[in-house]
Amino acid sequence: MPIVTVQQGPRDVELKRELVKRVTDAFVDAHEIPAETVQVWMHEVPADGWCAAGTLVADT
């Protein structure tokens, strides 16, 4: 059973639904497996919880 972890900033629930559907469909197509076997874990990180190039994303 594939487990996909998505790390991203907070998103609207509709956008998360669409992302989960597309990720699941991609695994179903690529691995020829049932959708029920694909798990997607979403880990939302606030803008002050990660940085890029030494700067908090919240500060950009």
Side-chain angles (χ1 to χ4, degrees):
M1 142 184 18
I3 299 172
V4 181
T5 303
V6 176
Q7 294 183 320
Q8 64 180 15
R11 298 288 191 269
D12 177 84
V13 70
E14 290 301 320
L15 291 174
K16 291 189 277 190
R17 284 186 181 116
E18 182 63 23
L19 177 61
V20 168
K21 180 184 179 322
R22 290 182 184 205
V23 168
T24 300
D25 289 348
F27 272 80
V28 168
D29 292 343
H31 296 286
E32 299 179 353
I33 57 176
E36 295 77 21
T37 65
V38 180
Q39 293 186 19
V40 180
W41 298 358
M42 303 192 82
H43 180 225
E44 293 186 321
V45 181
D48 65 351
W50 88 83
C51 66
T55 304
L56 284 173
V57 171
D59 295 338
T60 60

